[in-house]
Structure formats: structure tokens, C-alpha cells
Amino acid sequence: MAYKVLDTALTTSTEALYMFVADNEEDIPNLPNMEQTGSETNTRWYAKAGSVVRVVATGRFYTLAPSNKWKALYYMREELEDAIDHNIPIMKQILAEAKVGAETTANNASAAAKSEQNASASASRASESAKKAAESQKNAEAARTAAHDDLQSVTEVKIGLTALKTQTEETCQKAVEECRGYAGAATYAFGPDENGVFSFFLNQ
């Protein structure tokens, strides 16, 4: 069990940025950090945050975090990388289909909103038409009432004229009869008038 310094950088009089290699993970607590210089004689400096160690037994990498703790760096195994490479075209296809689906959904939503707007406009026009129809019906009722009143007035005038005609005819007939009576009873005379001209005179 041991570790070894592979490289250093950014070295000062008290600390350095290290690159270590260790046999296994049990060697990690013995590595230098920001508070200890380590158990090996060639690690006399404190380790800076960002220092890295590779564990041979597991193939994993660790880095010294600002919290002064060695944190595992996660990586993908080769078979996982191959699987991802294999699935990239499928993932792209899925994303493309999802994009098309999203665009279709957006278009459908837009069409639905437009249809709703058209329906609202149609409902408004229908309401206006119904209002105009009700007003027309009201005007028709008023015209019908006025026509009925006018017809009644005409009938009354006609009745009055008929009565007046009858009365006039009776009066005229009476006058004619009186004239006939006068004519039948009248006598005529022939002689000079006040101017000395001979004329017929009606004797009363």
C-alpha cells in the first residue's frame, strides 16, 4: 500500500498542485491535503484544492475539493461509452420526433385557439342577428297594429261617407219632390212686365 507523486504544479513554499497515483483507495487518507503534508518524504508541501489521484486497483480518479476532502470523479466505463455512441442516433431520432410532436401540438393549439375565436365571433354575429330579428319582429308588430288602426279609421270614414251620402241623397230627393210639388201647383200668365216687355209670369 503506497502512493507516488507523478507531477506537481503551481508550487509555492508551502503548497503544490499534485498528481498522485495510489495502489488502492485505502491510501487516500495518507495523501497530502490542505492540512497535512502526507506520510511520504517527497510530499513536503500541502496539497492545493484541485489535486488529483488515480487509484490503480479501481481505475477511479479522485480530486481534492475545497472542503479538504478527496471526492471521486465519476467516469464512464468503455462499454457504457459504446452504448451511448450506439444510442446517439436513436436519441437524435427521439428528439426529432419529440420536436415534431411539440410543433404539431403547438399548431393544434393555435388552430384550436383560432377556431375558438371564430366560434366566438360567430356567436357574436348570431346574437346580433337574433337581436335584429327581434327588433324586426317588434317593428312588424307595430306596423301591423298601425295598419289595423288605419283600416279601422278608413272603415269609420267609409261608414261616415256612406251615411253622409245617404243623408244627401234623401235631402236631394226631398228637395226634388218639393220642387215637383211646386211645379205642379204653379200657374203661368202672359203680360207686360215692369219694363213693358211681354213675358210669362209664375202665379203664386
Side-chain angles (χ1 to χ4, degrees), residues 49-98:
S51 296
V52 177
V53 59
R54 179 178 184 274
V55 178
V56 176
T58 60
R60 301 185 67 179
F61 287 85
Y62 291 79
T63 184
L64 185 61
S67 62
N68 200 34
K69 292 183 179 180
W70 289 95
K71 300 288 186 179
L73 293 177
Y74 292 94
Y75 66 99
M76 292 183 295
R77 296 189 300 273
E78 184 176 354
E79 60 270 19
L80 183 57
E81 292 179 356
D82 292 340
I84 291 177
D85 291 338
H86 174 73
N87 290 327
I88 282 177
I90 299 176
M91 294 171 66
K92 287 182 177 180
Q93 182 179 357
I94 293 173
L95 290 175
E97 292 175 354

Side-chain angles (χ1 to χ4, degrees), residues 113-137:
K114 188 174 182 180
S115 298
E116 184 178 358
Q117 184 178 3
N118 292 337
S120 177
S122 298
S124 177
R125 288 194 296 269
S127 177
E128 187 67 21
S129 298
K131 183 178 179 181
K132 290 181 179 179
E135 186 175 355
S136 297
Q137 183 177 2

Side-chain angles (χ1 to χ4, degrees), residues 163-199:
L164 181 61
K165 179 181 179 182
T166 302
Q167 184 179 359
T168 301
E169 289 178 350
E170 291 176 354
T171 302
C172 290
Q173 183 66 31
K174 184 177 181 181
V176 169
E177 291 177 355
E178 289 179 355
C179 289
R180 287 177 179 175
Y182 283 124
T187 59
Y188 298 91
F190 181 76
D193 59 10
E194 57 182 5
N195 295 322
V197 180
F198 283 92
S199 302

